[in-house]
Amino acid sequence: MEQKSNTPRLPLPQPLVGAEAGTFTEFTVTQRMPNIARRVIAENKFPANINASLEKLASELPSGYLPTLVDDTGSDFADWSKYLESYKEQRWIDIPWFFTETYFYRYLLQITNYFRAGESQGVDPFELQKRQGLETSLDSIVALCTQVNGWLNVSEQENQLRQTALITLLYFGLWGNRVDLSLWSAFETDRSRFDIQNQQSHILVDDGLKVTELLVNSNSGRVDFVVDNAGFELVCDLCLVDYLLGSGVASVVRLHLKSHPTFVSDAMIKDVHQTTEFLLASSNPEVTSFPQRLQQYIASDQLVLCDDYFWTSPLAFWEIPESLKNELSHSNLIVIKGDANYRRLLGDRHWDFTTKISDIVCYLPVPMVILRTLKSEVVAGIQPEVLEEVEKSDSAWLTNGQWGVVQLVDNN
């Protein structure tokens, strides 16, 4: 397969930093991140000394300096020691935002003794929010599972049906963090009448049809998912996985998950298992048949769960370790989910919003589709006329989660 460039084809612009006054980045570092640290105190039963350290972290974020990471036996400690060399004695708000956020979550785990032997070892500080994300979306889960079962029960999987199912599930993957039923058209008796038109009006780049054509014509190859959030969004991703495998569109799916808790709701291997167990406990047979299939896929190695410390590192996507890059190169399609993964793809830098995305994301030798709801001030690949229209209609379009992209990057 043709070897790709290891970096973007264009000169790298400046990274986003928290010191940029009036930006969402500044708001995140000075307000959102302190609130997250304090919510960890409120939602867990950590000892007083841990809570005091979390409060100290929260109070120092707006103007304080990066604290030192000590060896807490975490497997990534040596790597973090190297990453931190460039930013010693600098303030949280003065260093690249992506580094700031990833280090915040890693340092939070040091405080809570996540890696150390003891009663707090392995305790996910965001467990409550993940569980609530599932519990509050039960109606949505039932509706989605019922629809997927209906598609899979059609004996002859014609290409037209496959494309309808795939485009619908791609949209659910995109909007899955909206835990409601707005994706179904007014709860008509025929739930297959998916409100595509309404969804498309808020998708700034929509390569959905190209993606479904690529999948349908892929001769049952391998699909890799770089997963984002647990909760209902993970259910949406697993429904797409279920359909890919159950319809024969894919023969193997690999899920790439986080190696430890990060970005509050990001999914780990244990979250896939806990989600499966949660669904198995349902009294609704439309729901329980879904996790039963997932367990069978896992047992037969058609569904493979894997993690890597790269996904919790501060590195840009083009700094991917060679071993992981080689692993991903065997895929027919990589599905990349979420805002933080999108920021990693673009190095979380100030690219012009109309920059051709394939000139930035040119370092993997297989097609990628990016499903991302915009929640930060970084994006590329927007057509100038689309950009002009959205800037006129919604001043907060970059960060309010109301706009999305389904971007296919196929450098071949």
Side-chain angles (χ1 to χ4, degrees), residues 7-16 318 342-357 359-361 363 377-381 398:
T7 56
R9 297 188 183 106
L10 304 171
L12 297 182
Q14 289 298 307
L16 279 69
W318 55 79
Y342 192 96
R343 289 166 56 197
R344 189 188 296 280
L345 281 170
L346 270 60
D348 208 36
R349 291 172 179 269
H350 284 289
W351 298 100
D352 187 288
F353 299 152
T354 61
T355 304
K356 190 177 176 185
I357 195 165
D359 283 339
I360 306 170
V361 184
Y363 37 79
E377 292 151 325
V378 56
V379 71
L398 280 165

Side-chain angles (χ1 to χ4, degrees), residues 371-388:
L371 305 180
R372 183 244 185 158
T373 306
L374 276 66
K375 295 177 186 170
S376 61
E377 292 151 325
V378 56
V379 71
I382 310 293
Q383 291 297 321
E385 62 275 15
V386 174
L387 179 62
E388 185 181 356

Side-chain angles (χ1 to χ4, degrees), residues 164-401:
T164 299
L166 288 168
I167 195 81
T168 304
L169 290 167
L170 282 172
Y171 284 133
F172 266 93
L174 171 63
W175 301 120
N177 55 354
R178 294 184 185 176
V179 186
D180 59 39
L181 297 169
S182 62
L183 297 184
W184 302 108
S185 53
F187 262 104
E188 298 171 58
T189 50
D190 177 11
R191 284 207 183 95
S192 66
R193 290 184 61 189
F194 180 69
D195 191 359
I196 285 177
Q197 193 171 9
N198 185 47
Q199 296 313 311
Q200 284 178 327
S201 67
H202 275 251
I203 300 177
L204 301 171
V205 180
D206 190 357
D207 294 329
L209 282 174
K210 289 182 192 172
V211 175
T212 62
E213 287 167 6
L214 189 153
L215 282 167
V216 167
N217 297 323
S218 66
N219 297 318
S220 296
R222 167 178 150 183
V223 177
D224 285 61
F225 276 74
V226 180
V227 180
D228 189 30
N229 294 320
F232 181 60
E233 185 174 331
L234 180 59
V235 174
C236 293
D237 294 341
L238 292 172
C239 280
L240 177 51
V241 169
D242 184 27
Y243 184 77
L244 286 169
L245 293 171
S247 66
V249 171
S251 56
V252 175
V253 174
R254 294 177 69 91
L255 298 188
H256 299 270
L257 298 131
K258 300 301 191 296
S259 49
H260 58 61
T262 191
F263 279 83
V264 181
S265 56
D266 279 20
M268 303 160 59
I269 289 176
K270 63 98 176 169
D271 294 313
V272 176
H273 292 306
Q274 287 177 359
T275 300
T276 306
E277 289 160 14
F278 174 82
L279 297 169
L280 282 169
S282 170
S283 58
N284 188 314
E286 294 282 7
V287 174
T288 54
S289 60
F290 164 52
Q292 287 166 2
R293 289 191 297 268
L294 292 177
Q295 288 184 326
Q296 290 165 3
Y297 293 137
I298 291 171
S300 64
D301 290 329
Q302 285 180 277
L303 176 56
V304 181
L305 312 180
C306 40
D307 57 17
D308 193 287
Y309 276 105
F310 173 67
W311 305 120
T312 51
S313 78
L315 302 176
F317 215 119
W318 55 79
E319 298 172 288
I320 188 169
E322 204 62 33
S323 58
L324 184 54
K325 183 177 182 178
N326 290 339
E327 175 58 39
L328 289 169
S329 71
H330 296 295
S331 189
N332 290 74
L333 176 70
I334 304 171
V335 183
I336 298 180
K337 292 292 309 294
D339 193 76
N341 285 325
Y342 192 96
R343 289 166 56 197
R344 189 188 296 280
L345 281 170
L346 270 60
D348 208 36
R349 291 172 179 269
H350 284 289
W351 298 100
D352 187 288
F353 299 152
T354 61
T355 304
K356 190 177 176 185
I357 195 165
S358 59
D359 283 339
I360 306 170
V361 184
C362 55
Y363 37 79
L364 284 178
V366 293
M368 286 181 277
V369 59
I370 313 158
L371 305 180
R372 183 244 185 158
T373 306
L374 276 66
K375 295 177 186 170
S376 61
E377 292 151 325
V378 56
V379 71
I382 310 293
Q383 291 297 321
E385 62 275 15
V386 174
L387 179 62
E388 185 181 356
E389 191 63 35
V390 72
E391 285 179 334
K392 278 194 291 190
S393 66
D394 184 355
S395 60
W397 68 279
L398 280 165
T399 58
N400 63 13

Side-chain angles (χ1 to χ4, degrees), residues 107-133:
Y107 187 73
L108 193 148
L109 295 184
Q110 176 186 289
I111 291 175
T112 61
N113 293 330
Y114 180 84
F115 296 103
R116 290 187 184 279
E119 62 180 23
S120 297
Q121 186 176 26
V123 171
D124 185 344
F126 310 114
E127 188 74 49
L128 179 64
Q129 292 179 58
K130 290 177 177 178
R131 190 169 69 247
Q132 288 175 339

Side-chain angles (χ1 to χ4, degrees), residues 31 33-43 54-55 58-59:
Q31 297 184 51
M33 286 162 55
N35 288 343
I36 289 165
R38 292 183 173 116
R39 191 164 173 179
V40 168
I41 297 172
E43 292 181 348
L54 287 167
E55 179 55 46
S59 62

